[in-house]
Amino acid sequence: MSTKKDVNANIEDEDNDKIHFQDSKIWQGRYSGVLPCSDCDGIEIIIFLKPKKKYTLQMSYLNSSEPEVKEKGSFSWLDANNILFDNEEAMEFMVSEDRLWLLKSKRIPAMKLANNAQYILQKNEKP
């Protein structure tokens, strides 16, 4: 029979086992992927997360007359694993060991983003 104290101890142990990416260097690197687009063949995105909470972003709209977007900026940690870009899009990502999960963007309705594998950027070593 488990006591309330035992249950609380287990919860604390689970929290201690979680990886907090903000506290590591694992999050730094290159992430890329092609996200869905309603009026083009996809949006190719390349993001570099750099030290000192800096990023570069490159977005290309495939088979579209939309111009390529390139920007540099900084980001903030919202908590131990979520970041927010300080750009016009106010893009928010969840950081994992080898992926960025797009959580929020002004151009994409939140209901489309929730648990949708189409909005994941993979970490890769390609320069």
Side-chain angles (χ1 to χ4, degrees):
M1 177 182 267
S2 179
T3 66
K4 187 173 184 178
K5 183 177 180 181
D6 293 336
V7 171
N8 288 338
N10 288 338
I11 290 170
E12 288 173 15
D13 288 343
E14 287 175 15
D15 285 343
N16 289 335
D17 290 340
K18 288 182 184 175
I19 296 173
H20 297 282
F21 289 96
Q22 177 182 5
D23 300 331
S24 72
K25 302 283 187 213
I26 295 172
W27 55 267
Q28 295 178 31
R30 181 187 192 272
Y31 298 83
S32 64
V34 178
L35 304 185
C37 178
S38 61
D39 57 355
C40 68
D41 290 343
I43 305 169
E44 182 178 31
I45 296 183
I46 300 171
I47 295 174
F48 287 92
L49 294 182
K50 301 176 178 185
K52 298 182 182 179
K53 298 187 281 184
K54 301 291 184 189
Y55 75 89
T56 59
L57 168 71
Q58 180 179 330
M59 292 189 337
S60 301
Y61 296 84
L62 304 176
N63 294 324
S64 172
S65 60
E66 288 286 324
E68 183 177 78
V69 174
K70 290 184 178 185
E71 66 181 43
K72 295 179 181 183
S74 58
F75 63 87
S76 304
W77 286 97
L78 300 176
D79 59 32
N81 298 323
N82 289 6
I83 59 174
L84 177 67
F85 284 9
D86 69 354
N87 62 2
E88 187 177 311
E89 288 289 315
M91 298 170 87
E92 182 180 334
F93 292 91
M94 181 179 71
V95 179
S96 71
E97 190 170 340
D98 60 352
R99 294 184 179 108
L100 287 181
W101 302 72
L102 181 61
L103 300 177
K104 183 175 122 185
S105 171
K106 287 184 179 179
R107 292 188 188 195
I108 303 169
M111 68 182 130
K112 284 189 173 184
L113 293 174
N115 298 319
N116 193 331
Q118 296 181 63
Y119 295 95
I120 297 173
L121 303 177
Q122 296 289 327
K123 188 172 186 182
N124 47 58
E125 300 304 320
K126 187 178 176 181

